[in-house]
Amino acid sequence: MSDTSSTLRIVWIYPDLLSTYGDQGNALILSRRARLRGIDTEISHVHSSDPVPVEGDVYLLGGGEDRPQILAAERLRSDGGLKRAVERGATVLAVCAGYQIIGESYGDDDDNPLPGVGILDIHSGRGETRAVGEIVADIVPELGGGRITGFENHQGRTTIGPSARPLSRTVIGIGNDNQTEGAYQGHVLGTYLHGPALPRNPGLADLVLRLCVGEIAPLQPSWGEKLHEERLAAVM
Ligand code: GLN
Protein backbone atom coordinates (compact mmCIF):
# COMPACT_ATOMS: atom_id res chain seq x y z
CA MET A 1 0.00 0.00 0.00
CA SER A 2 1.20 3.54 -0.61
CA ASP A 3 2.33 5.71 2.31
CA THR A 4 -0.51 8.14 1.69
CA SER A 5 -3.36 5.62 1.97
CA SER A 6 -4.20 3.13 4.72
CA THR A 7 -6.87 1.49 2.56
CA LEU A 8 -6.06 -1.63 0.53
CA ARG A 9 -7.41 -0.88 -2.96
CA ILE A 10 -8.57 -4.09 -4.62
CA VAL A 11 -9.32 -3.83 -8.34
CA TRP A 12 -11.51 -6.51 -9.93
CA ILE A 13 -10.70 -6.39 -13.64
CA TYR A 14 -13.35 -6.96 -16.28
CA PRO A 15 -16.20 -8.71 -14.46
CA ASP A 16 -18.06 -8.54 -17.80
CA LEU A 17 -15.44 -10.66 -19.63
CA LEU A 18 -13.37 -12.58 -17.08
CA SER A 19 -15.41 -13.99 -14.23
CA THR A 20 -16.15 -17.71 -14.56
CA TYR A 21 -16.66 -20.15 -11.67
CA GLY A 22 -17.19 -17.48 -9.03
CA ASP A 23 -13.66 -16.06 -9.35
CA GLN A 24 -15.02 -12.81 -7.96
CA GLY A 25 -14.98 -14.58 -4.57
CA ASN A 26 -11.22 -13.91 -4.63
CA ALA A 27 -11.88 -10.18 -4.15
CA LEU A 28 -14.31 -10.81 -1.29
CA ILE A 29 -11.95 -13.13 0.61
CA LEU A 30 -8.95 -10.89 0.15
CA SER A 31 -10.96 -8.01 1.54
CA ARG A 32 -12.29 -10.13 4.44
CA ARG A 33 -8.86 -11.42 5.48
CA ALA A 34 -7.40 -7.90 5.31
CA ARG A 35 -10.22 -6.48 7.44
CA LEU A 36 -9.76 -9.22 10.04
CA ARG A 37 -6.23 -7.75 10.41
CA GLY A 38 -7.61 -4.24 10.85
CA ILE A 39 -6.81 -3.12 7.27
CA ASP A 40 -9.53 -1.12 5.52
CA THR A 41 -10.33 -2.22 1.98
CA GLU A 42 -12.13 -0.90 -1.06
CA ILE A 43 -13.13 -3.08 -4.04
CA SER A 44 -13.54 -1.43 -7.47
CA HIS A 45 -15.11 -3.24 -10.39
CA VAL A 46 -13.51 -2.16 -13.65
CA HIS A 47 -15.56 -3.13 -16.69
CA SER A 48 -13.94 -3.57 -20.09
CA SER A 49 -15.35 -0.22 -21.25
CA ASP A 50 -13.61 1.56 -18.33
CA PRO A 51 -9.97 2.66 -17.97
CA VAL A 52 -7.92 0.53 -15.56
CA PRO A 53 -6.85 2.75 -12.63
CA VAL A 54 -3.11 2.71 -11.97
CA GLU A 55 -3.29 3.46 -8.25
CA GLY A 56 -4.70 0.09 -7.07
CA ASP A 57 -2.78 -2.10 -4.63
CA VAL A 58 -3.93 -5.48 -5.91
CA TYR A 59 -5.50 -6.41 -9.25
CA LEU A 60 -7.55 -9.58 -9.66
CA LEU A 61 -8.45 -11.23 -12.98
CA GLY A 62 -10.62 -14.30 -13.40
CA GLY A 63 -11.16 -17.03 -15.97
CA GLY A 64 -13.03 -16.70 -19.24
CA GLU A 65 -13.98 -18.37 -22.46
CA ASP A 66 -11.74 -18.16 -25.53
CA ARG A 67 -13.37 -15.16 -27.29
CA PRO A 68 -13.95 -12.94 -24.22
CA GLN A 69 -10.35 -13.69 -23.25
CA ILE A 70 -9.08 -12.27 -26.57
CA LEU A 71 -11.19 -9.14 -26.14
CA ALA A 72 -9.94 -8.70 -22.58
CA ALA A 73 -6.30 -9.02 -23.69
CA GLU A 74 -6.76 -6.47 -26.49
CA ARG A 75 -8.39 -3.95 -24.15
CA LEU A 76 -5.85 -4.41 -21.37
CA ARG A 77 -3.01 -3.96 -23.84
CA SER A 78 -4.41 -0.81 -25.39
CA ASP A 79 -5.38 0.61 -21.97
CA GLY A 80 -1.92 0.12 -20.45
CA GLY A 81 -3.11 0.78 -16.86
CA LEU A 82 -2.42 -2.72 -15.53
CA LYS A 83 1.14 -2.70 -16.83
CA ARG A 84 1.81 0.73 -15.32
CA ALA A 85 0.34 -0.41 -11.99
CA VAL A 86 2.73 -3.39 -11.93
CA GLU A 87 5.65 -1.08 -12.74
CA ARG A 88 4.78 0.93 -9.63
CA GLY A 89 4.77 -2.24 -7.50
CA ALA A 90 1.13 -3.38 -7.45
CA THR A 91 0.28 -7.04 -6.79
CA VAL A 92 -1.66 -9.15 -9.32
CA LEU A 93 -3.47 -12.48 -8.99
CA ALA A 94 -4.77 -13.77 -12.32
CA VAL A 95 -6.73 -16.97 -12.85
CA CYS A 96 -6.84 -19.23 -15.93
CA ALA A 97 -7.78 -17.04 -18.93
CA GLY A 98 -6.60 -14.05 -16.86
CA TYR A 99 -3.33 -15.90 -16.18
CA GLN A 100 -2.78 -16.70 -19.86
CA ILE A 101 -3.39 -13.16 -21.11
CA ILE A 102 -1.08 -11.41 -18.64
CA GLY A 103 1.77 -13.46 -20.15
CA GLU A 104 3.89 -12.70 -23.20
CA SER A 105 1.70 -14.69 -25.59
CA TYR A 106 -1.27 -17.06 -25.59
CA GLY A 107 -3.10 -19.11 -28.23
CA ASP A 108 -6.48 -18.22 -29.74
CA ASP A 109 -9.09 -20.91 -30.42
CA ASP A 110 -7.05 -22.11 -33.46
CA ASP A 111 -3.81 -21.89 -31.47
CA ASN A 112 -2.50 -18.87 -33.36
CA PRO A 113 -0.24 -16.97 -30.95
CA LEU A 114 -1.56 -13.60 -29.79
CA PRO A 115 0.32 -11.03 -27.73
CA GLY A 116 -0.43 -10.85 -24.00
CA VAL A 117 -0.14 -7.95 -21.56
CA GLY A 118 3.51 -8.87 -20.93
CA ILE A 119 3.71 -8.64 -17.13
CA LEU A 120 4.53 -12.33 -16.56
CA ASP A 121 7.13 -14.27 -18.54
CA ILE A 122 4.94 -17.14 -19.70
CA HIS A 123 3.76 -18.41 -23.09
CA SER A 124 0.52 -20.37 -23.42
CA GLY A 125 -0.65 -22.51 -26.30
CA ARG A 126 -3.41 -25.08 -26.66
CA GLY A 127 -2.97 -28.63 -25.42
CA GLU A 128 -4.27 -31.74 -27.17
CA THR A 129 -6.75 -32.45 -24.39
CA ARG A 130 -8.83 -30.28 -22.13
CA ALA A 131 -7.68 -30.24 -18.49
CA VAL A 132 -10.85 -30.60 -16.43
CA GLY A 133 -11.26 -31.56 -12.80
CA GLU A 134 -9.92 -31.13 -9.31
CA ILE A 135 -6.32 -30.00 -8.98
CA VAL A 136 -3.96 -30.10 -6.00
CA ALA A 137 -0.52 -28.48 -5.95
CA ASP A 138 2.20 -27.45 -3.49
CA ILE A 139 3.26 -23.80 -3.55
CA VAL A 140 7.05 -23.48 -3.94
CA PRO A 141 8.73 -23.19 -0.51
CA GLU A 142 10.29 -19.79 -1.23
CA LEU A 143 6.82 -18.22 -1.36
CA GLY A 144 5.11 -20.18 1.45
CA GLY A 145 1.39 -20.82 1.31
CA GLY A 146 1.30 -24.62 1.52
CA ARG A 147 -0.85 -27.02 -0.45
CA ILE A 148 -3.54 -25.56 -2.70
CA THR A 149 -6.73 -27.07 -4.04
CA GLY A 150 -8.95 -25.94 -6.89
CA PHE A 151 -10.90 -26.80 -10.00
CA GLU A 152 -9.37 -26.49 -13.46
CA ASN A 153 -11.03 -26.32 -16.88
CA HIS A 154 -8.77 -25.18 -19.69
CA GLN A 155 -7.39 -26.18 -23.07
CA GLY A 156 -4.30 -24.03 -22.65
CA ARG A 157 -0.87 -25.26 -21.57
CA THR A 158 1.74 -22.87 -20.26
CA THR A 159 5.53 -22.69 -20.55
CA ILE A 160 7.41 -20.54 -18.05
CA GLY A 161 10.17 -18.25 -19.38
CA PRO A 162 13.45 -17.38 -17.63
CA SER A 163 12.14 -14.31 -15.75
CA ALA A 164 9.26 -16.15 -14.04
CA ARG A 165 9.14 -19.13 -11.68
CA PRO A 166 6.51 -21.83 -11.10
CA LEU A 167 3.98 -20.91 -8.42
CA SER A 168 3.57 -24.53 -7.37
CA ARG A 169 4.25 -28.19 -8.21
CA THR A 170 1.25 -30.18 -9.44
CA VAL A 171 0.23 -33.13 -7.22
CA ILE A 172 -3.12 -34.01 -8.85
CA GLY A 173 -4.34 -32.57 -12.16
CA ILE A 174 -2.57 -30.77 -15.01
CA GLY A 175 -1.91 -27.07 -14.31
CA ASN A 176 0.73 -25.71 -16.72
CA ASP A 177 2.05 -29.01 -18.03
CA ASN A 178 1.35 -31.88 -15.55
CA GLN A 179 4.34 -30.83 -13.46
CA THR A 180 3.96 -27.24 -12.39
CA GLU A 181 0.94 -25.05 -11.70
CA GLY A 182 0.82 -21.29 -12.17
CA ALA A 183 3.74 -18.87 -12.20
CA TYR A 184 5.03 -15.77 -10.44
CA GLN A 185 7.37 -12.91 -11.19
CA GLY A 186 7.85 -10.33 -8.45
CA HIS A 187 4.38 -9.45 -7.19
CA VAL A 188 2.57 -10.90 -10.21
CA LEU A 189 0.96 -14.31 -9.63
CA GLY A 190 -0.98 -16.49 -12.05
CA THR A 191 -2.77 -19.79 -11.50
CA TYR A 192 -5.14 -22.18 -13.26
CA LEU A 193 -7.07 -22.70 -10.02
CA HIS A 194 -10.73 -21.80 -9.87
CA GLY A 195 -12.75 -22.75 -6.86
CA PRO A 196 -12.63 -19.80 -6.31
CA ALA A 197 -8.93 -20.08 -5.43
CA LEU A 198 -8.70 -17.74 -2.43
CA PRO A 199 -11.82 -18.91 -0.52
CA ARG A 200 -10.56 -22.51 -0.94
CA ASN A 201 -7.00 -21.64 0.03
CA PRO A 202 -6.51 -19.27 2.97
CA GLY A 203 -2.73 -19.83 2.66
CA LEU A 204 -2.76 -18.46 -0.90
CA ALA A 205 -4.99 -15.55 0.15
CA ASP A 206 -2.50 -14.63 2.87
CA LEU A 207 0.42 -14.95 0.43
CA VAL A 208 -1.27 -12.38 -1.83
CA LEU A 209 -1.96 -10.13 1.16
CA ARG A 210 1.67 -10.35 2.32
CA LEU A 211 2.80 -9.22 -1.13
CA CYS A 212 0.55 -6.17 -0.73
CA VAL A 213 1.14 -5.13 2.88
CA GLY A 214 4.14 -7.06 4.25
CA GLU A 215 3.99 -9.34 7.29
CA ILE A 216 0.50 -10.05 8.65
CA ALA A 217 -0.66 -11.68 11.88
CA PRO A 218 -1.96 -15.27 11.67
CA LEU A 219 -5.74 -15.74 12.03
CA GLN A 220 -7.61 -18.39 14.01
CA PRO A 221 -8.58 -21.25 11.64
CA SER A 222 -12.20 -20.90 10.57
CA TRP A 223 -14.56 -21.84 7.71
CA GLY A 224 -11.90 -21.26 5.02
CA GLU A 225 -9.55 -23.81 6.59
CA LYS A 226 -12.44 -26.30 6.96
CA LEU A 227 -13.34 -25.91 3.29
CA HIS A 228 -9.67 -26.32 2.33
CA GLU A 229 -9.36 -29.57 4.32
CA GLU A 230 -12.67 -30.89 3.04
CA ARG A 231 -11.70 -30.27 -0.63
CA LEU A 232 -8.30 -31.91 -0.16
CA ALA A 233 -9.84 -34.92 1.59
CA ALA A 234 -12.25 -35.36 -1.34
CA VAL A 235 -9.39 -36.09 -3.76
CA MET A 236 -6.35 -37.25 -1.77
N1 GLN B 1 -10.11 -20.23 -22.56
C1 GLN B 1 -8.97 -20.67 -21.79
C2 GLN B 1 -8.61 -22.15 -22.01
O1 GLN B 1 -9.45 -22.95 -22.31
C3 GLN B 1 -9.18 -20.37 -20.31
C4 GLN B 1 -10.32 -21.13 -19.70
C5 GLN B 1 -10.68 -20.66 -18.31
O2 GLN B 1 -10.45 -19.51 -17.96
N2 GLN B 1 -11.29 -21.54 -17.52
O3 GLN B 1 -7.46 -22.50 -21.87
Side-chain angles (χ1 to χ4, degrees):
M1 287 190 291
S2 78
D3 296 341
T4 51
S5 166
S6 58
T7 299
L8 181 76
R9 291 156 302 186
I10 301 168
V11 183
W12 175 237
I13 292 200
Y14 296 173
D16 51 333
L17 296 177
L18 299 175
S19 192
T20 50
Y21 302 116
D23 289 333
Q24 193 179 339
N26 291 340
L28 300 176
I29 286 297
L30 205 56
S31 170
R32 165 93 181 138
R33 294 186 75 83
R35 284 170 178 263
L36 287 170
R37 268 87 173 207
I39 301 165
D40 279 342
T41 63
E42 169 194 292
I43 302 178
S44 339
H45 290 215
V46 176
H47 286 78
S48 58
S49 52
D50 301 331
V52 176
V54 289
E55 62 282 352
D57 296 302
V58 51
Y59 293 76
L60 301 174
L61 294 84
E65 288 158 20
D66 295 347
R67 297 292 168 87
Q69 158 175 12
I70 295 171
L71 199 53
E74 283 170 358
R75 293 195 175 174
L76 283 172
R77 277 168 50 76
S78 63
D79 176 88
L82 178 61
K83 195 163 191 177
R84 287 203 298 282
V86 168
E87 283 160 6
R88 41 162 288 277
T91 298
V92 176
L93 175 72
V95 175
C96 205
Y99 168 45
Q100 295 173 3
I101 65 169
I102 64 168
E104 296 295 331
S105 69
Y106 67 99
D108 69 6
D109 30 357
D110 290 323
D111 209 15
N112 301 307
L114 294 174
V117 180
I119 55 174
L120 182 61
D121 187 9
I122 58 165
H123 295 265
S124 301
R126 290 177 83 78
E128 288 183 358
T129 56
R130 204 163 176 85
V132 186
E134 289 292 307
I135 173 163
V136 174
D138 288 327
I139 297 184
V140 291
E142 58 268 31
L143 287 179
R147 182 157 278 188
I148 49 179
T149 149
F151 173 75
E152 63 179 337
N153 183 0
H154 53 100
Q155 191 81 30
R157 297 293 189 279
T158 297
T159 308
I160 300 176
S163 302
R165 313 277 307 158
L167 175 70
S168 62
R169 304 260 156 218
T170 311
V171 178
I172 293 177
I174 308 282
N176 295 324
D177 57 0
N178 265 317
Q179 296 187 355
T180 64
E181 197 303 295
Y184 77 98
Q185 182 174 341
H187 286 199
V188 177
L189 268 56
T191 176
Y192 274 110
L193 268 62
H194 297 284
L198 299 190
R200 267 171 82 149
N201 298 289
L204 181 59
D206 284 355
L207 165 59
V208 176
L209 261 185
R210 277 201 305 279
L211 292 175
C212 301
V213 302
E215 274 316 301
I216 42 175
L219 295 176
Q220 284 298 327
S222 181
W223 291 105
E225 285 74 9
K226 281 192 190 145
L227 174 64
H228 180 74
E229 293 307 323
E230 188 268 325
R231 289 288 80 210
L232 283 178
V235 289
M236 298 296 290

